[in-house]
Amino acid sequence: MSVAKPLPHDAARLHVTGSARYVDDIPTPAGCLHLAFGLAEIASGTIARIDLDQTRSAPGVVGVWCAKDLPTDCDCSPSAHDEPLLSDDSIHYLGQPVFLVAATSHLAARKAVALASITYEERKPILSIDEALEAGSHFEEGPRIWQKGDAEQAIQSAPHRLDGEIEIGGQEHFYLEGQAALAVPQEGGDMLVHSSTQHPTEIQHKVAHALDIPMHAVRVETRRMGGGFGGKESQGNALAIACAVVALQTGKPAKMRYDRDDDFMVTGKRHDFRIHYSAGFDAKGRLQGLAFTQYARCGWAQDLSLPVADRAMLHATNAYFVPNVRIESHRLKTNTQSATAFRGFGGPQGMLGMERVMDHVAHHLDLDPTAVRQANYFGSDQNAVPAAVQTTPYGQPVEEFALGEMTKALIESSDFKARQDAVRAWNETQPVLKKGLALTPVMFGISFTLTHLNQAGALVHVYQDGSIHLNHGGTEMGQGLFQKVAQVAASRFGVGLETIKITATDTAKVPNTSATAASSGSDLNGMAVLAACDTIRNRMADHLAQLWQVPSDKIAFGDTSVTDGNRTISFAEAAKLCYEGRISLSSTGFYRTPKLEWDRLRGQGRPFFYFAYGVSASEVVVDTLSGEYRILRADILHDCGASLNPALDIGQIEGGFVQGAGWLTTEELVWDDKGRLRTHAPSTYKIPACSDRPDVFNVALWDGANQEDTIYRSKAVGEPPFMHGISVLMALSDAVASCGRGYPDLNAPATPERVLAAVRRVQNEL
Amino acid sequence: MDTTFLLNGESVTLTGVEPTVTLLDWLRDVRGLTGTKEGCNEGDCGACTVMVTDARGARALNACILFLPQLHGKAVRTVEGMSSPDGTLHPVQEAMIEHHGSQCGFCTPGFVVSMATAHVNRDQNHDDALAGNLCRCTGYAPIVRAAQAAFEHDVPAWIKDDVATLKTPALSLSGPVHVPQSADELADLYARRPEATLIAGATDVGLWVTKQLRQLDEVIFLNQCQDMAQIEQTPDGLRIGAGVTMDRVLKAVQGKYTSYAEMIRRYGSAQVRAAATIGGNIANGSPIGDNPPPLIALGATLHLRYRETRREMPLEAFFIEYGKQDRHPGEFVEAVTIPDQPDRMQVYKLSKRFDQDISAVCGAFNIAVEDGAVSQARIAFGGMAGVPKRAEAVEAALLGHPWTDDALVRAWDAWEQDFAPLSDMRASAEYRIFAARNMLSRYLLNDLGAQTSVLEVQA
Ligand SMILES: Cc1cc2nc3c(=O)[nH]c(=O)nc-3n(C[C@H](O)[C@H](O)[C@H](O)COP(=O)(O)OP(=O)(O)OC[C@H]3O[C@@H](n4cnc5c(N)ncnc54)[C@H](O)[C@@H]3O)c2cc1C
Ligand code: FES
Ligand code: FES
């Protein structure tokens, strides 16, 4: 059976030879136009005068559009209908698209944009969390509050208490392939759109809306993305709509890809957060009451900010049982890029707030942070109540909690205790360099919190030669979804992977799909494909059983053949027999996740089908003269259930860890006081480079099947490993703490500058 | 102008090319070779990496900031040319598949080319070879495993063939594009056309074109002036021609000024060092260029030339103020000379990320100690002022005094006399000055034998 095998990515050979095609690589039909946006130069205000004459007459320019030239408002929002494609004269952030140029080349379009002259009436922008709070600028009517027990009372009556705050910076996705779309007009006003998107159905929906045509007139195809990470869940809408509008109005194909700097300036990023906490705890650090106030900077439009902020609340206590909790969440509206989905979808920010509490409590009591974490785990002995009946703050029972065992296993395998001693001893001898070591857990809820999104469809054909065409609603962005799902299909039919043709996601094949997001890709699409395959397989079995005069359950598929125990024919022969027997060899498949029930306003119910777990330990060394540091070693133990493909899963874990570490270390987004993003290219925005990965990097999979009935009992893996990066920040905190008596209070991203400031703080509190 | 080069083993001659068309745009838009990707269009991500071979050997370069005329007489291999004509994969391609080195695959062509270049050069410092290739998906671990595995395999014949097939055809020039063949030709030409833009490695000029969308009307490419690309030991010291690329500067200073070499290891990336010239890094007058601080600390002399007139000056004198250098129209940088001396210099390059990041502060300390007292001090900084600048007050505070903790205290106030740095997205003014002060402590602690570099620590 091909599931559980560590097979390479299905497109690996295409990748390494440069023949894997991305949107910008698709050969374009003759006369293709290339588009570029002209962007607002201020963060807030209105357009006083706009002069595009020079732009219009620039070499190669074919057309220029402002909002008034569009067929509709061409709204780009995935949620609140608050994102017109082009500014309606009001400016909400620096980088907002104001006009659109179509030219004969990408370069000609960019050069023409630069010739525009716009004057503005400026307003003072609302940029920071404080400014937004002061101005009362937020989404939804007021803060969302979820409670369990009486947090305030519990904090007051606890033997120990502390307050603190952490600032958590945002993060640019930096998918290596920038946003891109290509629209090719079809007969009768129909539109074909190639889009680098995680959500083809959303592109179809928004393009249909913009052109004021039914969804059936728009077909969206996505073969692959050069990385998505959430940044292509809604942020591709503008490009696809722009291309479709131009294609419709000119009758020519239209392509748009953002120059990297434009991509930074226009598109949303991870939400930055401030989290304030009050904790009441006993002498062992066990929490009795906990109150969080989370402030999320959402940017100018709503986009996906409400569910993102919800998920930050859902993960606000991470893997810990807290009897009394209060979580208050503010969704602030600011004149900056509209923050959007990014791997973890608010979960990482919420979880980091909790890990900060653990670290702070341990420091306060002078206890080992790992011991404090373990003492607070669900189901830890001290809590007396068995884990199974312990619930999260939102009332979901934690029926299986693997972290107790996993943590012990990682402590063992990483030689954690001995290394902790070694680090302490080493630090004693070092005047300049200090090491730090920390262990943090991840408990991540799997399912879309908007319950109706937890559905998926598939379309499978078996051809008369026995070859199989596979299609489903999931998109491929590097995570290996297509290969995992193909492994499922191959296993159902008992054939090799060479028999399966993986095909581009296509809204004409599978309709009404959800975004490939929330780590749900293989859970949902794997099950839908399984259903489709089994439908066909059962039809084949019934037919062969009839031919061979045996009961259907005697027919078995495997080793690329079909047998009833006596007779064995190849799968291809079986397909041919079925075809000749007039059996339908094509089927759709459908899946919806069971057991979900969620009331987001009250913050009560079962939003998640199950939890994915993981634990990591990171060791760092810090330079106390400059604040520079390195990650020396990371050990990760992660739970993928019964892995569909251990190689791909390990790839997600390694990549997720490094991306998570980047978020909390070198990846700093800096806006100036005018609201201009100053870090808008890889020259100024620093994602981890090759040498930033840990020298020693041990990743292992936890051996255990999913208790819930998921696809081959596997678990989702896309987002959870990202949060292993938190152990790096906590290790930095540990290293800094060794410089003196104060608490490091390290904010994120912990750039060398912030680390040095923390070192000085800690040293000064001698 | 006509440009002739080998593309994946095949000879290509382009007539009348625009001088500032990048190799990347030409490959993708004109040749339809879309394996080479655009990730940033500014030399920072490596998705556009190609292998360029000439008499000096094979180097990885970023095609997005490489102009077609720079390729004249060279062999270019893109990812499409890494496998053999019959489709046999290059060992690094095989290893990338086997070790799961690609996820989304968009960075992969660039990695494959960088890896193949390191492979042909038998370079096993994978972190250095790959520092200019960003990957957002894999976390790099599987890619490095692939590079290590591929190292065991021989260089394929079709890669070796490039060198054998290389012929440098005659140049045919016309219009506002000049490719002088010697410093003399350049001197004559530039004096007559002082408005023309000199292009050396184009790691700055490339960005003027791709990001600022500047139109360059008349250009002079320097890369054929072989006599300006020489490194010589002269009686005055080590003379490095303006056209010497940073990868060669690294080799030249490796045995002599260890810390300078270590800094250059972190300068840009393999792709950038193979293109960027030391002359360009000086001539651009940037306050954050990484060569001027160590060169000033070493007491280097700058050689300028206008026609047959040559001028010399201490390098620090060249930088007058932000955006203004002591260089007349038609005058160019010909070379720089580092006087021979014992290796007492430490260079500290401070940035958010170790590899391929522009310095927030770059400090170079060259302090000689005799009988426990400072006998000579040359300290220079980038990132602390509008120009690369000597820390004269700090030097004065140290000179003649005991080389102990007291020195740090004595110099404390001098720092603010020397520098009033700015805050920007790389660092705040406060951090810059504090970190600069601490660099002096580091130098002292280093001298006393303390371990001070996180890069030398292991788990
Ligand atoms: C990705 C990336 C990373 C980088 N990292 C670093 C880094 O870590 N540290 C650092 O210091 N810099 C860095 N740079 C900047 C750049 O590499 C240097 O400034 C480089 O040395 C410029 O040399 P060049 O040959 O490419 O110059 P070019 O771009 O060709 O020219 C630069 C300027 O100098 C002029 N010029 C060139 N040669 C001469 C000459 N002989 N006489 C007179 N004028 C001349 C040109 O007309 C132009 O004005 C980086 C650049 C990139 C793109
Ligand atoms: S495209 Fe990023 S380095 Fe060339
Ligand atoms: S594989 Fe996606 S960026 Fe490297």
Side-chain angles (χ1 to χ4, degrees):
Chain A
M1 219 169 57
S2 61
V3 288
K5 287 209 183 112
L7 300 173
H9 193 282
D10 61 277
R13 198 186 162 97
L14 300 179
H15 292 157
V16 302
T17 53
S19 35
R21 256 189 207 167
Y22 303 79
V23 169
D24 194 38
D25 304 335
I26 298 172
T28 47
C32 185
L33 299 176
H34 299 261
L35 314 188
F37 284 131
L39 308 181
E41 288 288 321
I42 62 161
S44 177
T46 50
I47 297 173
R49 214 179 70 83
I50 177 160
D51 178 358
L52 300 175
D53 289 351
Q54 283 204 57
T55 301
R56 275 201 188 84
S57 54
V61 170
V62 173
V64 178
W65 285 257
C66 289
K68 62 175 174 12
D69 311 315
L70 299 172
T72 62
D73 65 354
C74 292
D75 176 65
C76 303
S77 168
S79 57
H81 206 107
D82 58 353
E83 288 185 54
L85 177 69
L86 299 174
S87 159
D88 56 6
D89 280 356
S90 56
I91 302 293
H92 301 281
Y93 75 102
L94 199 155
Q96 182 180 350
V98 172
F99 63 93
L100 173 67
V101 174
T104 49
S105 77
H106 177 68
L107 194 60
R110 288 178 62 218
K111 284 187 170 170
V113 162
L115 298 174
S117 131
I118 307 178
T119 51
Y120 305 91
E121 307 254 353
E122 278 191 69
R123 256 195 315 272
K124 187 175 153 27
I126 296 170
L127 299 173
S128 65
I129 287 172
D130 289 323
E131 284 165 0
L133 283 171
E134 194 166 314
S137 175
H138 49 70
F139 294 98
E140 294 193 303
E141 61 290 357
R144 196 76 22 257
I145 299 169
W146 298 345
Q147 325 209 36
K148 171 184 178 180
D150 186 341
E152 199 176 325
Q153 159 67 28
I155 294 166
Q156 292 305 336
S157 56
H160 300 270
R161 51 167 302 173
L162 60 76
D163 284 330
E165 199 165 84
I166 180 169
E167 303 274 352
I168 304 168
Q171 184 177 29
E172 160 64 33
H173 303 85
F174 207 80
Y175 25 66
L176 257 283
E177 178 213 23
Q179 305 278 350
L182 165 67
V184 186
Q186 309 290 301
E187 62 183 24
D190 290 2
M191 197 59 67
L192 166 64
V193 180
H194 298 273
S195 167
S196 181
T197 179
Q198 294 171 242
H199 201 348
T201 290
E202 180 77 354
I203 297 280
Q204 179 195 21
H205 170 213
K206 299 307 295 190
V207 166
H209 174 268
L211 303 187
D212 198 17
I213 54 179
M215 282 172 79
H216 70 41
V218 180
R219 183 160 84 80
V220 178
E221 195 181 292
T222 300
R223 174 57 186 88
R224 64 170 61 77
M225 282 160 271
F229 314 112
K232 292 177 180 168
E233 193 168 335
S234 61
Q235 303 298 300
N237 295 356
L239 300 90
I241 293 171
C243 289
V245 166
V246 171
L248 184 77
Q249 297 199 346
T250 62
K252 296 200 167 139
K255 177 155 88 173
M256 183 171 208
R257 65 179 169 93
Y258 288 157
D259 179 68
R260 179 62 66 177
D261 293 66
D262 284 355
D263 204 313
F264 267 83
M265 294 309 282
V266 176
T267 66
K269 303 159 203 327
R270 184 185 294 284
H271 292 68
D272 42 66
F273 267 63
R274 173 189 297 162
I275 300 179
H276 181 273
Y277 50 90
S278 298
F281 45 97
D282 67 13
K284 292 204 163 144
R286 286 174 299 204
L287 291 169
Q288 300 182 343
L290 184 56
F292 284 114
T293 313
Q294 303 179 335
Y295 304 93
R297 205 166 64 123
C298 302
W300 73 284
Q302 187 172 304
D303 189 73
L304 303 167
S305 291
L306 304 189
V308 166
D310 285 358
R311 201 177 257 274
M313 299 174 81
L314 286 163
H315 291 90
T317 56
N318 194 15
Y320 308 104
F321 174 72
V322 191
N324 301 284
V325 197
R326 182 179 191 279
I327 308 160
E328 180 175 317
S329 164
H330 297 254
R331 294 93 198 261
L332 302 166
K333 185 174 179 173
T334 51
N335 294 116
T336 46
Q337 290 80 356
S338 181
T340 191
F342 195 147
R343 202 175 196 174
F345 207 69
Q349 294 94 318
M351 208 175 274
L352 176 55
M354 188 63 187
E355 290 308 322
R356 162 55 94 82
V357 169
M358 288 290 131
D359 192 58
H360 201 170
V361 165
H363 189 269
H364 185 86
L365 297 171
D366 199 16
L367 292 175
D368 172 20
T370 306
V372 171
R373 289 188 164 94
Q374 287 174 302
N376 281 288
Y377 273 169
F378 282 102
S380 55
D381 300 336
Q382 298 91 330
N383 283 318
V385 216
V389 295
Q390 287 181 346
T391 58
T392 63
Y394 46 90
Q396 174 158 348
V398 181
E399 287 163 354
E400 41 130 33
F401 183 78
L403 276 169
E405 291 301 308
M406 289 175 72
T407 302
K408 282 183 203 144
L410 188 78
I411 287 175
E412 188 77 16
S413 69
S414 68
D415 202 14
F416 190 79
K417 293 246 158 76
R419 282 167 57 213
Q420 235 174 353
D421 294 341
V423 161
R424 250 176 244 130
W426 191 83
N427 285 349
E428 292 292 314
T429 67
Q430 293 291 328
V432 176
L433 307 181
K434 299 289 173 191
K435 286 185 178 180
L437 180 60
L439 177 150
T440 58
V442 174
M443 170 174 166
F444 195 77
I446 303 298
S447 292
F448 284 100
T449 57
L450 196 52
T451 303
H452 79 254
L453 297 179
N454 295 290
Q455 58 169 312
L459 178 65
V460 176
H461 309 316
V462 175
Y463 293 101
Q464 51 188 306
D465 66 352
S467 65
I468 299 166
H469 173 111
L470 172 66
N471 197 269
H472 53 80
T475 55
E476 176 63 41
M477 60 196 101
Q479 80 279 44
L481 170 67
F482 282 15
Q483 182 71 323
K484 282 186 172 179
V485 174
Q487 286 176 260
V488 169
S491 298
R492 300 318 284 179
F493 288 115
V495 298
L497 275 165
E498 66 291 342
T499 309
I500 313 260
K501 172 60 92 192
I502 295 173
T503 59
T505 317
D506 184 337
T507 56
K509 288 183 182 165
V510 176
N512 306 322
T513 59
S514 294
T516 306
S519 310
S520 66
S522 47
D523 277 14
L524 297 177
N525 296 291
M527 281 302 221
V529 162
L530 180 140
C533 293
D534 285 3
T535 302
I536 299 172
R537 197 183 63 176
N538 291 342
R539 286 188 202 137
M540 291 175 77
D542 287 347
H543 181 67
L544 294 172
Q546 212 176 23
L547 279 182
W548 293 342
Q549 296 293 306
V550 294
S552 294
D553 60 11
K554 283 269 178 282
I555 307 289
F557 292 72
D559 296 331
T560 323
S561 43
V562 185
T563 181
D564 67 354
N566 296 319
R567 270 160 296 219
T568 301
I569 58 173
S570 70
F571 183 78
E573 284 168 320
K576 184 157 176 285
L577 282 177
C578 290
Y579 165 68
E580 287 164 355
R582 297 194 293 169
I583 301 300
S584 164
L585 291 174
S586 172
S587 176
T588 59
F590 187 76
Y591 175 73
R592 60 171 159 262
T593 313
K595 297 189 179 178
L596 303 176
E597 190 195 320
W598 173 238
D599 177 347
R600 75 167 277 268
L601 296 184
R602 282 176 51 239
Q604 281 298 314
R606 175 177 183 156
F608 301 125
F609 189 26
Y610 63 90
F611 295 100
Y613 300 98
V615 58
S616 64
S618 292
E619 182 175 338
V620 301
V621 60
V622 167
D623 179 334
T624 60
L625 290 174
S626 63
E628 293 161 289
Y629 47 81
R630 277 192 41 74
I631 308 173
L632 300 173
R633 172 170 172 176
D635 293 77
I636 302 177
L637 182 56
H638 197 86
D639 160 34
C640 299
S643 172
L644 284 175
N645 180 323
L648 296 178
D649 283 351
I650 285 176
Q652 288 299 295
I653 298 165
E654 288 173 334
F657 170 83
V658 170
Q659 197 178 67
W663 167 48
L664 298 174
T665 55
T666 56
E667 294 186 36
E668 187 180 31
L669 290 164
V670 181
W671 284 266
D672 66 17
D673 55 8
K674 295 259 177 218
R676 179 183 295 274
L677 180 64
R678 308 299 317 203
T679 48
H680 51 76
S683 50
T684 43
Y685 183 77
K686 310 313 281 188
I687 71 164
C690 189
S691 71
D692 294 314
R693 78 188 187 289
D695 291 339
V696 181
F697 198 1
N698 300 316
V699 174
L701 300 183
W702 178 244
D703 201 9
N706 195 340
Q707 199 176 277
E708 297 297 342
D709 187 12
T710 53
I711 184 76
Y712 287 96
R713 300 276 173 183
S714 63
K715 284 193 179 183
V717 72
E719 294 162 293
F722 177 85
M723 283 148 274
H724 290 310
I726 294 174
S727 62
V728 173
L729 186 69
M730 295 303 143
L732 288 171
S733 179
D734 185 50
V736 172
S738 72
C739 298
R741 295 192 40 191
Y743 182 63
D745 238 329
L746 198 53
N747 287 331
T751 55
E753 176 163 358
R754 287 209 180 83
V755 170
L756 187 66
V759 167
R760 292 175 69 187
R761 260 196 312 277
V762 166
Q763 284 173 341
N764 292 339
E765 262 180 67
L766 278 172
Chain B
M1 70 171 291
D2 289 2
T3 300
T4 302
F5 55 92
L6 282 183
L7 176 62
N8 296 331
E10 238 180 80
S11 180
V12 176
T13 298
L14 306 174
T15 27
V17 290
E18 280 249 2
T20 57
V21 171
T22 64
L23 174 62
L24 179 64
D25 281 351
W26 180 80
L27 284 172
R28 293 183 57 84
D29 298 346
V30 181
R31 290 297 282 212
L33 288 176
T34 53
T36 309
K37 306 298 183 201
E38 178 180 319
C40 69
N41 212 12
E42 62 164 27
D44 263 291
C45 78
C48 65
T49 306
V50 295
M51 185 195 287
V52 176
T53 306
D54 60 16
R56 283 215 172 90
R59 292 170 296 167
L61 291 172
N62 289 320
C64 66
I65 48 171
L66 191 57
F67 299 129
L68 288 172
Q70 292 175 274
L71 294 170
H72 186 70
K74 301 181 196 266
V76 179
R77 269 193 190 268
T78 65
V79 67
E80 289 91 347
M82 286 301 146
S83 35
S84 81
D86 72 5
T88 309
L89 295 185
H90 188 286
V92 305
Q93 292 174 312
E94 290 281 6
M96 281 290 272
I97 297 174
E98 188 165 330
H99 292 270
H100 309 279
S102 71
Q103 288 185 18
C104 79
F106 200 81
C107 69
T108 313
F111 271 97
V112 162
V113 174
S114 286
M115 291 161 79
T117 309
H119 186 257
V120 67
N121 291 330
R122 308 315 289 152
D123 176 2
Q124 281 199 82
N125 297 321
H126 303 301
D127 283 2
D128 289 343
L130 300 177
N133 292 84
L134 297 178
C135 175
R136 195 51 153 167
C137 300
T138 62
Y140 304 100
I143 297 175
V144 174
R145 289 194 281 268
Q148 285 162 345
F151 191 82
E152 309 302 321
H153 295 268
D154 293 339
V155 177
W158 60 93
I159 300 282
K160 289 186 197 148
D161 282 352
D162 276 350
V163 191
T165 339
L166 257 185
K167 284 192 281 291
T168 307
L171 261 179
S172 110
L173 290 177
S174 58
V177 184
H178 310 280
V179 188
Q181 300 295 305
S182 66
D184 288 346
E185 262 186 60
L186 169 64
D188 179 53
L189 178 70
Y190 195 34
R192 285 185 288 113
R193 321 291 308 174
E195 303 299 319
T197 302
L198 302 183
I199 302 181
T203 59
D204 286 330
V205 177
L207 272 65
W208 303 353
V209 171
T210 63
K211 291 294 168 177
Q212 300 169 16
L213 303 173
R214 266 202 241 172
Q215 185 74 35
L216 303 180
D217 292 326
E218 184 163 15
V219 296
I220 303 176
F221 287 99
L222 304 186
N223 65 328
Q224 303 266 337
C225 299
Q226 286 306 327
D227 53 350
M228 282 215 331
Q230 304 299 320
I231 303 173
E232 302 160 88
Q233 185 59 49
T234 68
D236 297 330
L238 189 69
R239 183 184 159 106
I240 304 176
V244 175
T245 49
M246 290 309 300
D247 53 348
R248 295 178 59 220
V249 177
L250 194 164
K251 290 216 178 79
V253 300
Q254 215 151 31
K256 291 190 156 75
Y257 308 110
T258 318
S259 177
Y260 186 13
E262 164 60 13
M263 186 278 287
I264 301 174
R265 184 188 67 77
R266 289 175 47 208
Y267 176 114
S269 59
Q271 292 92 320
V272 170
R273 291 190 296 273
T277 63
I278 193 167
N281 195 237
I282 293 169
N284 71 10
S286 164
I288 46 177
D290 280 329
N291 283 297
L295 289 174
I296 292 171
L298 290 169
T301 301
L302 184 67
H303 306 275
L304 294 171
R305 175 169 177 189
Y306 175 79
R307 287 196 200 270
E308 291 310 312
T309 313
R310 291 184 165 89
R311 291 199 289 155
E312 286 183 2
M313 64 179 76
L315 180 57
E316 57 267 42
F318 179 65
F319 304 105
I320 300 169
E321 60 185 56
Y322 181 74
K324 188 168 171 207
Q325 297 87 40
D326 184 1
R327 185 160 73 87
H328 309 309
E331 193 176 38
F332 60 94
V333 175
E334 195 168 32
V336 60
T337 299
I338 305 172
D340 292 328
Q341 58 199 286
D343 185 11
R344 281 289 298 163
M345 186 171 67
Q346 292 291 328
V347 190
Y348 306 119
K349 177 175 163 75
L350 186 55
S351 48
K352 277 185 205 163
R353 186 174 76 190
F354 281 105
D355 285 323
Q356 192 174 234
D357 196 358
I358 302 292
S359 305
V361 178
C362 179
F365 295 74
N366 192 5
I367 297 174
V369 180
E370 266 171 47
D371 303 326
V374 175
S375 59
Q376 195 215 6
R378 291 183 66 91
I379 302 174
F381 273 87
M384 296 289 286
V387 289
K389 187 168 179 285
R390 263 179 92 165
E392 283 167 358
V394 174
E395 289 172 2
L398 298 177
L399 208 61
H401 292 286
W403 184 226
T404 62
D405 274 358
D406 289 349
L408 307 179
V409 180
R410 184 166 306 103
W412 192 262
D413 294 329
W415 288 99
E416 265 138 17
Q417 293 169 35
D418 281 326
F419 300 112
L422 297 177
S423 291
D424 65 12
M425 67 279 178
R426 294 202 169 87
S428 70
E430 193 203 359
Y431 177 66
R432 283 192 158 102
I433 196 113
F434 193 81
R437 272 200 181 104
N438 275 355
M439 286 178 183
L440 184 62
S441 316
R442 182 189 308 282
Y443 188 99
L444 176 65
L445 284 162
N446 234 339
D447 253 9
L448 300 175
Q451 195 175 5
T452 61
S453 171
V454 293
L455 294 175
E456 287 158 13
V457 178
Q458 270 153 20

